[in-house]
Amino acid sequence: MLELRPNCECCDKDLPPDSTEAYICSYECTFCHDCVEQRLSNVCPNCGGGFSPRPIRPVKGYREGVGLEHQPASSLRVHTAYSDAELSEFSALIKATEPSKR
Ligand SMILES: [Zn+2]
Ligand SMILES: [Zn+2]
C-alpha cells in the first residue's frame, strides 16, 4: 500500500493526500511536480526511474476498510541526502534515456 508521504523530498513542499502535484517513482520516492520537471528532469535521484502522478486515495471508505478514514497518509517527512550539484549530475547521466528504456 502507498504510504502517501507528506512532502517533496527536494524542496519540502507539503504534498497532502489530495495534492495533484505529488509525483512518485516505483519505490514511492515522492516529489512535487516542479522539482520533477525542473530539478530532476524526470529522473528519481534515488533509483534513476521516472515519475508518475500519485493516485489520490479517497477520504471516504466506499468499501469496507479502505479510504483515508482507515489508512491515513504518512506523517513522516523525507528529505533527500543529495546536494543540488549531486542531483543535477545524476540526472544529467540518465535524463536523455526514456524511463521505459532505463
Ligand atoms: Zn519539490
Ligand atoms: Zn526512486
Side-chain angles (χ1 to χ4, degrees):
M1 180 174 56
L2 286 176
E3 281 179 27
L4 303 174
R5 296 176 187 171
N7 68 309
C8 171
E9 281 191 32
C10 256
C11 71
D12 200 35
K13 181 176 200 159
D14 287 338
L15 297 171
D18 63 351
S19 173
T20 55
E21 286 183 73
Y23 278 67
I24 56 173
C25 78
S26 74
Y27 291 99
E28 265 187 90
C29 309
T30 304
F31 297 89
C32 73
H33 182 255
D34 285 352
C35 286
V36 165
E37 291 293 312
Q38 289 156 32
R39 297 173 85 172
L40 305 173
S41 303
N42 200 26
V43 176
C44 175
N46 304 314
C47 70
F51 293 97
S52 296
R54 185 178 68 190
I56 292 176
R57 183 173 302 162
V59 174
K60 289 205 255 176
Y62 290 99
R63 298 284 193 185
E64 198 178 328
V66 299
L68 286 171
E69 288 175 345
H70 297 281
Q71 281 101 24
S74 166
S75 59
L76 189 68
R77 299 181 86 85
V78 178
H79 304 287
T80 186
Y82 300 109
S83 67
D84 267 355
E86 287 170 325
L87 292 174
S88 301
E89 199 178 323
F90 187 73
S91 161
L93 292 172
I94 298 171
K95 66 183 180 187
T97 307
E98 285 294 307
S100 61
K101 304 274 193 278
R102 288 180 195 162

